Amino acid sequence: MKRFCLVCLAVLFVYSAAAANSFAEDAGALLKDIHWLGHDTFKITGEKVIFTDPFKLKKGDSADIILISHEHFDHCSPEDVKKLQGPKTVVITTPSCAPSLTGDVKTVKPGDVMDVGNIHIEAVPAYNVDKKYHPKEKGGVGYIITVKGVRLYFAGDTDHIPEMKTFRNIGIAFLPVSGTYVMTAREAAKAALEIRPEIAIPMHYGRIIGTKMNAELFEEELRGKVKVMLLKEE
């Protein structure tokens, strides 16, 4: 019996290791479908075309899904949303941003889940713990979206919050690093160590506040611990 249990444990370990390696490969393969357009704006292609917090877009495009984290002007920009909207575009946002938008707008609060086609979307909390800019009661969100079987965590404007301990099996995490309104680079690195994504991508720098130095510090803090990708703005 003891030998049987040891064999079972060994098989389980091998299976878990293989699953983890496959998960990492899937997350890495998805990088080619992720485009950083500055600040917190990402275009994710593949199963559907997804945009996060479109702001100061350099050109028009077409989106299947637009995810907006909260009502601040550099995240909820009706002008930029219109550049992406088509007759079938679904816009997902918070109640505070929704009145300024038109079209197929769906509102969410932390804890809500929904599916748009084959894209699974979870709204998760995003707020400040030691600042006044994003109070928890305002209901700002981040999103965990599943694309091609990979869970992507788009943090929105947030500090390192306790809820991050509950985020599991994250393939790629998009984390703000500029400080002042959101996490500093060092705080974001601590958040990444807690979330343990396969890949971490810094955001929220280079436009209104923060520079590439914040992203580089984030990368340095996680060297040898979590893989970091600094994307070039497109």
Side-chain angles (χ1 to χ4, degrees):
M1 178 62 72
K2 183 177 180 181
R3 183 177 179 182
F4 175 77
C5 291
L6 289 173
V7 170
C8 289
L9 286 172
V11 170
L12 180 61
F13 175 79
V14 171
Y15 175 81
S16 298
N21 287 337
S22 175
F23 184 64
E25 289 171 4
D26 289 343
L30 198 62
L31 283 173
K32 71 180 187 307
D33 297 326
I34 295 173
H35 311 270
W36 183 47
L37 307 184
H39 203 47
D40 281 9
T41 306
F42 291 90
K43 177 183 179 180
I44 303 165
T45 59
E47 292 179 300
K48 288 189 179 294
V49 179
I50 304 168
F51 278 81
T52 64
D53 285 357
F55 177 61
K56 290 191 175 180
L57 296 173
K58 297 174 183 176
K59 60 181 180 179
D61 208 327
S62 178
D64 296 306
I65 303 170
I66 301 173
L67 302 173
I68 300 175
S69 61
H70 64 292
E71 77 280 4
H72 289 170
F73 75 94
D74 52 327
H75 301 268
C76 179
S77 171
E79 177 184 356
D80 289 288
V81 169
K82 287 179 181 177
K83 291 179 181 179
L84 303 173
Q85 279 182 302
K88 296 183 179 180
T89 303
V90 177
V91 182
I92 301 172
T93 187
T94 57
S96 58
C97 174
S100 65
L101 303 174
T102 59
D104 187 357
V105 179
K106 302 181 186 302
T107 61
V108 292
K109 62 184 184 301
D112 286 346
V113 299
M114 68 173 64
D115 294 308
V116 179
N118 54 353
I119 303 297
H120 184 66
I121 301 166
E122 307 167 39
V124 297
Y127 59 91
N128 291 141
V129 296
D130 58 0
K131 311 173 185 70
K132 62 182 180 180
Y133 305 106
H134 306 94
K136 188 174 184 179
E137 57 268 23
K138 288 289 286 185
V141 298
Y143 294 97
I144 297 176
I145 59 177
T146 302
V147 178
K148 295 183 177 180
V150 180
R151 284 162 58 81
L152 311 180
Y153 169 45
F154 172 74
D157 274 12
T158 188
D159 283 335
H160 181 189
I161 57 177
E163 289 87 347
M164 290 175 177
K165 294 178 182 177
T166 68
F167 302 161
R168 296 286 180 263
N169 301 320
I170 302 299
I172 300 175
F174 306 88
L175 300 173
V177 299
S178 63
T180 304
Y181 304 107
V182 296
M183 296 184 282
T184 66
R186 287 192 171 91
E187 290 167 342
K190 290 178 181 178
L193 289 173
E194 196 164 84
I195 299 164
R196 286 290 174 185
E198 295 298 331
I199 300 167
I201 297 176
M203 65 178 189
H204 204 281
Y205 68 93
R207 287 273 178 92
I208 293 175
I209 192 169
T211 69
K212 190 177 180 182
M213 290 179 63
N214 298 100
E216 290 170 343
L217 176 57
F218 175 75
E219 181 181 38
E220 181 59 33
E221 290 285 314
L222 291 173
R223 195 174 305 281
K225 301 170 186 175
V226 175
K227 183 178 181 180
V228 174
M229 295 296 296
L230 273 61
L231 301 186
K232 184 178 180 181
E233 182 177 343
E234 297 182 19

